[in-house]
Amino acid sequence: MTGKNFCVKVYGCQMNVYDADRVRTVLCSRGWQEVSDEEADVVMITGCSVRAKAEQKVWSELGLYEPSWKKEQRPIVALTGCIAQRLGERALNRFPYVRLVAGPRHIGLLPDAIEQTASHPRTRINLLDTDPREFHALDFDADNITIKRENKYKAYVTIAHGCDNFCTYCIVPYVRGRFISRRPEDIFAECEMLIADGVKEITLLGQNVNSYGKDIGLTFAGLLRSVARLPGIERVRFVTSLPQDFTPDIVAVMAEEKTVCPSLNLPIQSGSNRVLKLMNRKYTYSEYLDKVNMTREKVPGLGLTTDLIVGFPGETDDDFNASMNALREIRFDLVHSAAYSERDGTPAATMPGALPVELRLERLNALNELQDRITLEINQHLTGEVVDVLVDDAAPKGEGLLQGRTPSDKVVIFAGKKKLLGEFVKVRITEAEAWCLHGELTDK
């Protein structure tokens, strides 16, 4: 195979998007052309392993290439990301066209490995991580290469890799390795490059951004304040925060720096102290609630979202009701909910008291129905208000409609011309749904 056409497919979290964008950028700088998967000589699939459903989606995707492989011996597939670290060797054995597997901590080796595989298609390359504290960064000259992104106006910047918390249900420490902070000078240089390229909003990424700097003598609050003060930056966000490490100094930066958005994702995972302990979450519900109240007091208009799991092994009716009551008391703007999914190799996978899948889904549906009502009520209170919106894309449905987000991270859809893309506009909210707001442009 001599072609240099490639396709990138990304499944999962923002960190997968970030990693894939960097590999895409380097390949294009070397003369590769990005095309559709039907035309590609190499397809790179970056996949997620957090839940079984995410893995199944990627596994099904891999199967789609079998007919073209049998007919044309193409494309070659490179499987990367968390799913590669967990199931890469199985993929190599199952699919003859999977020629390269690479874990998240080998991203720096991926461009060379993809080129080697394309030049020698009989080669099979295994770059699965064996040392949880080893990391191969993907560095390039920021002055000569602009990171290719799907969105011109918003960008992610990873500030740390891996996690040391070992929640009992979570596969992340096993597939992304142990926690390691990026050097602040590298983060600042990347942010400055993005700002120069027209980016208006930067989201700092990490499995637990609040842990940033613990291994190099710095703090996340210090990093956040420095990024917020970079010349030209308009908006800064960050995900994800672990409650036990979410401290008052971070809240102070959110309150004092105008460019830091009043939005926070603070995963609660359960409203039951008993389940939180089983999960190895290092806080109680009361401690979590104190941090929410502290933040809301200091940061007016806070948009608060969370992650929550139902159906954890041994979860009783009382435990589930505690989670439902947490939603009623805290009133999150949005909840990223999931039914518990066993992950082989995690302590929770062998815990007694596994709940039937049907019961997990029943509880998930009940929780989602409650949260949808809460979200709708919160959004309806915004009707008539004027909000600041960064216009970031055309709306997925409706001719002549644009979409953007408020500082508190609510999606707003409104009529407007495409010349407004990348601009900040004022929108008066006219209608509310659980998942978005509708409005009209205004000068007031």
Side-chain angles (χ1 to χ4, degrees):
M1 182 180 297
T2 58
K4 297 185 74 173
N5 295 329
F6 76 102
C7 171
V8 174
K9 294 192 170 184
V10 184
Y11 300 90
C13 70
Q14 300 99 321
M15 296 192 79
N16 281 352
V17 174
Y18 175 85
D19 289 348
D21 282 348
R22 292 172 76 82
V23 175
R24 171 190 285 116
T25 298
V26 173
L27 289 177
C28 288
S29 75
R30 296 181 181 184
W32 284 66
Q33 182 178 0
E34 189 167 9
V35 297
S36 68
D37 59 347
E38 292 87 359
E39 305 171 277
D41 300 304
V42 177
V43 175
M44 186 181 89
I45 298 177
T46 302
C48 176
S49 255
V50 170
R51 290 190 285 273
K53 186 176 181 180
E55 289 184 344
Q56 291 163 3
K57 186 181 295 186
V58 173
W59 210 252
S60 297
E61 178 78 20
L62 287 172
L64 297 177
Y65 297 104
E66 188 166 355
S68 62
W69 180 260
K70 287 182 176 180
K71 183 178 179 180
E72 305 176 27
Q73 294 289 286
R74 58 179 293 278
I76 286 173
V77 175
L79 184 63
T80 69
C82 295
I83 192 172
Q85 184 61 31
R86 218 176 85 81
L87 301 176
E89 291 187 356
R90 193 184 305 177
L92 283 173
N93 294 330
R94 167 67 178 84
F95 303 103
Y97 38 87
V98 174
R99 296 292 180 175
L100 165 62
V101 293
R105 299 173 81 84
H106 277 86
I107 181 176
L109 307 181
L110 265 176
D112 288 345
I114 288 173
E115 292 200 319
Q116 182 180 347
T117 303
S119 300
H120 305 90
R122 294 183 180 275
T123 302
R124 310 197 86 172
I125 299 177
N126 184 329
L127 293 177
L128 300 182
D129 308 332
T130 56
D131 182 347
R133 294 199 179 276
E134 182 182 25
F135 189 83
H136 298 275
L138 183 54
D139 294 321
F140 46 80
D141 188 346
D143 293 330
N144 296 327
I145 300 178
T146 300
I147 297 175
K148 294 185 175 294
R149 310 175 310 279
E150 290 187 7
N151 192 300
K152 297 180 180 179
Y153 317 109
K154 302 194 300 185
Y156 302 121
V157 174
T158 293
I159 65 171
H161 304 274
C163 182
D164 288 343
N165 285 286
F166 288 94
C167 300
T168 57
Y169 55 84
C170 187
I171 197 70
V172 166
Y174 306 96
V175 293
R176 282 198 171 265
R178 304 299 180 267
F179 185 86
I180 180 173
S181 300
R182 282 184 73 192
R183 297 187 307 171
E185 56 266 34
D186 293 339
I187 296 170
F188 299 147
E190 185 170 343
C191 290
E192 288 168 348
M193 176 189 66
L194 291 167
I195 295 167
D197 192 43
V199 167
K200 303 292 182 70
E201 178 179 302
I202 290 176
T203 300
L204 305 179
L205 294 180
Q207 261 72 43
N208 177 17
V209 290
N210 306 151
S211 292
Y212 177 82
K214 288 185 176 181
D215 52 341
I216 55 176
L218 300 173
T219 67
F220 175 63
L223 178 79
L224 181 61
R225 194 180 295 276
S226 295
V227 171
R229 293 180 176 181
L230 289 174
I233 192 71
E234 302 265 9
R235 283 184 177 179
V236 181
R237 302 186 191 273
F238 56 92
V239 289
T240 289
S241 298
L242 263 67
Q244 65 266 28
D245 296 327
F246 186 69
T247 49
D249 59 342
I250 300 172
V251 178
V253 177
M254 295 178 68
E256 296 164 5
E257 300 296 336
K258 293 182 179 180
T259 56
V260 178
C261 290
S263 62
L264 173 66
N265 179 255
L266 195 66
I268 189 173
Q269 301 303 5
S270 176
S272 162
N273 287 335
R274 192 183 73 86
V275 173
L276 288 172
K277 188 173 182 179
L278 289 173
M279 290 177 165
N280 195 34
R281 303 288 288 182
K282 300 175 180 66
Y283 53 88
T284 64
Y285 175 70
S286 177
E287 290 168 342
Y288 180 92
L289 185 59
D290 286 345
K291 298 199 176 190
V292 167
N293 291 336
M294 169 187 67
T295 310
R296 282 177 164 164
E297 179 184 349
K298 300 291 185 182
V299 185
L302 178 73
L304 179 66
T305 65
T306 197
D307 301 351
L308 195 150
I309 296 170
V310 299
F312 190 79
E315 182 186 73
T316 64
D317 288 343
D318 287 344
D319 294 325
F320 174 65
N321 287 332
S323 290
M324 296 285 276
N325 288 333
L327 266 56
R328 296 185 184 99
E329 181 173 18
I330 296 174
R331 293 181 64 82
F332 297 100
D333 289 79
L334 185 68
V335 174
H336 307 287
S337 58
Y340 170 72
S341 176
E342 288 87 353
R343 303 283 75 203
D344 293 341
T346 61
T350 57
M351 283 183 178
L355 273 61
V357 173
E358 295 79 8
L359 179 56
R360 302 180 205 179
L361 295 178
E362 178 183 319
R363 289 180 175 177
L364 179 63
N365 289 335
L367 183 136
N368 285 341
E369 288 178 5
L370 171 61
Q371 182 57 42
D372 283 349
R373 292 196 298 272
I374 293 171
T375 299
L376 180 58
E377 290 169 3
I378 292 172
N379 287 349
Q380 285 174 335
H381 279 96
L382 295 173
T383 302
E385 290 194 11
V386 175
V387 295
D388 293 318
V389 174
L390 170 59
V391 188
D392 56 37
D393 208 346
K397 295 181 181 179
E399 187 70 24
L401 294 180
L402 302 174
Q403 71 176 29
R405 288 183 183 264
T406 67
S408 62
D409 209 27
K410 291 186 181 294
V411 176
V412 182
I413 296 175
F414 56 96
K417 297 181 179 180
K418 289 188 176 181
K419 66 179 182 180
L420 293 175
L421 288 173
E423 300 296 325
F424 288 94
V425 299
K426 291 187 179 298
V427 178
R428 177 176 285 106
I429 304 304
T430 58
E431 183 184 350
E433 296 184 59
W435 296 100
C436 69
L437 301 168
H438 297 268
E440 56 189 13
L441 289 168
T442 180
D443 294 329
K444 298 181 180 179

